[in-house]
Amino acid sequence: MSPRPHEGAPRLLPETEEQRELRTVLRDFFAGTHGSEALREQSATPRGHDERLWTRMAREIGVHGLAIPEEYGGAGFTFAELAVALEESGRVLSPAPLLPTVVLAAHVLLYSGDRSACERHLPRIADGTLTATVAGFGDGAEDRAPEVGAERGGSGWVLRGAADFVLDGAGAELLLVRARTADGPRLFACEPAPDTCVRTARRVLDGTRRQALVEFRGAPATPVGASGEVTAVLDAGRAGLAAEQVGGSAHALEDTVRFVRERTQFGRPIGSFQAVKHRLADVLVALEAGRSVSAYATACVAAASPRLPEAASAAAAVCSETFLLATAEYVQLHGGIGFTWEHPAHLYVRRARSAEVLFGTADQHRARLAGLIGLPAA
């Protein structure tokens, strides 16, 4: 019997030469622009990130358009190339809104099948002149009815209601909103105006990833596509977040290994003690598992595989726990300095904790995965 073709597109799993070159370019770029102090400065700006660097990423490296087709102004690559950029941005905790704009919003447009909306918005996302985000998608439970409602007004559709903890919600120039209608959920594009869309920044654990309460008070909106289906978009988001988490975990491990080689106790590097070796080995094993499951989820997005839901939930569960473990050891094995405000370890802990619940918790994803593969509920 010949083996059944693998539905996860295994040809997309190994890193290509182009992807390795992209990784090198991005690592050099981020190393020169996202040091610990620079990161704090960028996060403290009114927009929450350096807008000049956002433009440079789009125009010099082409990050924003990697997974956008050429017909819409992108480079025409796949999600596999975009995942490289997300992993490298995760290594430095880049505050740039790549996840909401380039992953979530761009894929809402691509998956909608609405050529008019794609032609209007995707070229501006690709060239870095438009930031966008999604609202009303819930906290990972895509079957939940949206809290925002849409109704026909005198001159078209308007939105009413509120969506909370919207990624980059206070600054994004385009909101792609899932809203209730008389015929069921639908997607809408809204260019927010202060008189009809009130946006209030939330105080959140992770200052490098801003979130906001968005209140729609008769905000004009344009329908996007014919469906309110968002599962594929959220799964792409989960795959993108997993790539970020792998990057952050890798940084935490590498920086900790460097430190334990240099820090001495009782006349020898603390990294030579067996207990420290065991703890770092546990992080390495978890990181390699995270890399594997993240690569599979990425390949499933790139190939539009029917196995994406399972792959995305597996990646969400594994990579969240890997990042939590790596950052915990990042703090602990740096000793007293790891607990200080000045050291960057706490920034990685904050990102790990906030990312853990962004598109559903690890327990929620295990339950979802069990249902997808036909296991009985506990």
Side-chain angles (χ1 to χ4, degrees):
M1 180 186 295
S2 61
R4 190 171 67 132
H6 199 287
E7 294 175 323
R11 63 183 178 79
L12 296 175
L13 289 170
E15 192 166 78
T16 66
E17 183 61 34
E18 285 182 329
Q19 290 165 6
R20 283 191 288 272
E21 291 175 2
L22 175 63
R23 186 181 300 280
T24 299
V25 169
L26 285 166
R27 191 163 299 185
D28 290 344
F29 174 81
F30 285 128
T33 58
H34 284 71
S36 178
E37 289 306 312
L39 175 61
R40 297 172 196 265
E41 291 172 3
Q42 291 177 39
S43 300
T45 61
R47 189 61 184 85
H49 67 276
D50 190 324
E51 295 179 88
R52 294 172 299 174
L53 294 179
W54 176 258
T55 301
R56 285 184 59 193
M57 277 194 288
R59 299 183 180 177
E60 295 179 18
I61 308 176
V63 170
H64 304 43
L66 284 170
I68 294 177
E70 291 179 292
E71 63 182 307
Y72 300 128
F77 288 104
T78 72
F79 195 86
E81 285 71 34
L82 179 56
V84 172
L86 293 168
E87 183 178 336
E88 292 305 312
S89 73
R91 288 179 67 93
V92 297
L93 302 185
S94 173
L98 288 173
L99 186 64
T101 297
V102 181
V103 179
L104 296 174
H107 282 79
V108 165
L109 294 167
L110 289 169
Y111 292 162
S112 73
D114 189 327
R115 288 190 60 85
S116 176
C118 289
E119 290 170 352
R120 180 176 181 182
H121 302 300
L122 285 177
R124 296 176 59 209
I125 289 177
D127 68 14
T129 58
L130 177 69
T131 55
T133 191
V134 300
F137 282 31
D139 58 357
E142 49 266 41
D143 57 346
R144 184 176 301 167
E147 297 180 358
V148 179
E151 57 190 48
R152 291 186 182 275
S155 57
W157 288 92
V158 295
L159 301 176
R160 300 188 188 278
D164 209 350
F165 296 103
V166 176
L167 296 177
D168 198 32
E173 298 150 313
L174 175 69
L175 304 176
L176 295 167
V177 186
R178 183 172 180 256
R180 300 185 315 274
T181 73
D183 299 319
R186 285 195 66 178
L187 294 169
F188 295 86
C190 173
E191 297 181 14
D195 57 332
T196 58
C197 187
V198 179
R199 303 191 280 176
T200 307
R202 289 298 199 190
R203 184 178 181 183
V204 291
L205 179 64
D206 179 12
T208 65
R209 174 161 282 154
R210 294 192 176 184
Q211 301 179 49
L213 168 66
V214 181
E215 298 174 90
F216 299 96
R217 301 176 180 178
T222 304
V224 175
S227 168
E229 172 60 43
V230 296
T231 301
V233 174
L234 286 172
D235 282 335
R238 289 162 182 143
L241 182 62
E244 278 191 1
Q245 290 168 320
V246 166
S249 300
H251 166 85
L253 177 60
E254 291 165 13
D255 203 39
T256 304
V257 168
R258 178 197 57 77
F259 178 78
V260 300
R261 284 174 171 171
E262 297 172 355
R263 177 76 167 90
T264 59
Q265 189 71 35
F266 305 113
R268 56 191 283 197
I270 63 173
S272 65
F273 294 111
Q274 197 73 7
V276 174
K277 291 180 180 179
H278 285 169
R279 291 170 69 167
L280 290 173
D282 287 343
V283 176
L284 178 60
V285 170
L287 176 58
E288 289 305 310
R291 285 191 194 280
S292 296
V293 73
S294 172
Y296 180 59
T298 291
C300 286
V301 178
S305 169
R307 303 303 298 270
L308 174 59
E310 295 99 311
S313 279
V318 173
C319 294
S320 289
E321 294 186 342
T322 295
F323 201 9
L324 290 171
L325 172 64
T327 53
E329 296 293 13
Y330 193 13
V331 171
Q332 292 289 330
L333 293 179
H334 271 78
I337 191 174
F339 290 86
T340 63
W341 186 260
E342 291 75 18
H343 196 276
H346 75 94
L347 299 175
Y348 285 82
V349 172
R350 290 167 180 267
R351 175 66 72 88
R353 287 292 181 186
S354 65
E356 177 190 15
V357 297
L358 190 54
F359 299 122
T361 66
D363 286 345
Q364 287 173 325
H365 283 295
R366 288 194 180 91
R368 181 190 185 216
L369 184 57
L372 289 169
I373 63 178
L375 293 179

